[in-house]
Amino acid sequence: MSEHPDVLLYEKEAWASGFLRLAGIDEAGRGPLAGPVVAAAVIFEPGYIERELAIVYGRLTDSKAMSEKKRDEYFDILQGAAAVQVGVGVVEPEEIDDINILKATHKAMGIAAAQVGADFALVDGLPFKGLPCGHKAIVKGDALSISISAASIIAKVTRDRMMVALD
């Protein structure tokens, strides 16, 4: 664990404060002109992530910094692990046009957080109102928090697969 001392910093702070249902939250699809915005919330069981960090998650980082093949591998690992809970929120283009992309992103994040029953969240980006739990916003969090990195991968792969299906 010493080779990656920082990727659990925010998680350890939250766990020490008593938040055991800690979700990392990130989105995909805010920049493109087509398709939905997708947010994911990922909760790791505290002991699981510390045990598995070096073996499975040692190279987990921002999804945009990974190859498609690596993202798909991590997506399957995250979706298949019993000690990992995943929630996904999707807001479709018609609603994005009605409420704007920022509100749509926040709505998708709220849906994802509610699905996993988060009691606290680490969110990539800036603070906002509307999550069903308290949160800490972390700019560039997808590279600084392993929970947000995991959410980044789930959101991006989910959205990419939706867009391929639409094609």
Side-chain angles (χ1 to χ4, degrees), residues 123-152:
V123 179
D124 185 42
L126 301 172
F128 67 94
K129 294 179 182 175
L131 274 182
C133 60
H135 72 284
K136 178 179 184 90
I138 306 167
V139 174
K140 303 215 183 274
D142 46 9
L144 299 173
S145 158
I146 201 159
S147 297
I148 297 174
S149 297
S152 169

Side-chain angles (χ1 to χ4, degrees), residues 42 44 57 60 74-81 84 86 150 153-154:
V42 174
F44 291 107
Y57 301 107
L60 194 61
Y74 279 120
F75 180 90
D76 292 340
I77 290 168
L78 291 164
Q79 291 283 25
V84 179
V86 174
I153 289 166
I154 296 294

Side-chain angles (χ1 to χ4, degrees), residues 20-45:
L20 298 180
R21 299 203 47 77
L22 171 66
I25 300 179
D26 199 6
E27 55 71 31
R30 234 179 112 172
L33 295 175
V37 65
V38 176
V42 174
I43 293 179
F44 291 107
E45 290 180 8

